[in-house]
Amino acid sequence: MPGVDADTDFPDDLVDLERDRQTLLQQLKAIPPRPWTDTAGIEHRTDQGWVPEHDQEVAQLRARLTEASLALSTHEYWQTFSGPDRVAAKSRLKQAVKASLADDQGT
């Protein structure tokens, strides 16, 4: 996968899943928060740009995020590790993809 450190040696499909997961998270974070009213009747976050259409967009992004996260966490590659080594490998994947996305965005 271009941009991912060559010494990580992760399968391309696994890198793609993590890239999708991180991209979906970024897309969710970009949506303004939904306004809400507390028990005292005070409205919060009413001026942050949320529109009703965001509900459907958030639902779709969350569904895609759930699918990507499930496929990522159950990928057969993780069976080649156990215990702390599996945790370390997952962390390396996240960091490698995060760095690749930052490079792609020029940050």
Side-chain angles (χ1 to χ4, degrees):
M1 177 102 216
V4 174
D5 193 352
D7 67 353
T8 57
D9 200 31
F10 294 111
D12 287 344
D13 64 327
L14 188 62
V15 172
D16 290 342
L17 286 168
E18 179 60 23
R19 179 178 285 270
D20 289 346
R21 189 190 72 82
Q22 289 190 29
T23 300
L24 289 164
L25 286 170
Q26 289 175 351
Q27 290 171 344
L28 277 167
K29 287 179 185 178
I31 296 172
R34 190 178 205 282
W36 58 281
T37 304
D38 64 22
T39 56
I42 299 171
E43 293 183 354
H44 300 271
R45 302 180 178 165
T46 57
D47 60 349
Q48 296 189 14
W50 181 87
V51 294
E53 292 78 18
H54 285 138
D55 277 341
Q56 182 178 0
E57 184 178 359
V58 166
Q60 290 171 347
L61 289 170
R62 284 184 179 162
R64 290 175 49 207
L65 179 61
T66 298
E67 290 174 16
S69 297
L70 181 60
L72 185 64
S73 66
T74 59
H75 194 282
E76 63 186 22
Y77 178 75
W78 302 126
Q79 299 308 311
T80 63
F81 300 95
S82 63
D85 292 337
R86 185 177 298 164
V87 174
K90 287 182 177 186
S91 181
R92 281 195 321 273
L93 174 64
K94 288 178 185 178
Q95 293 305 315
V97 171
K98 184 176 182 179
S100 173
L101 287 171
D103 287 346
D104 292 350
Q105 295 171 356
T107 58

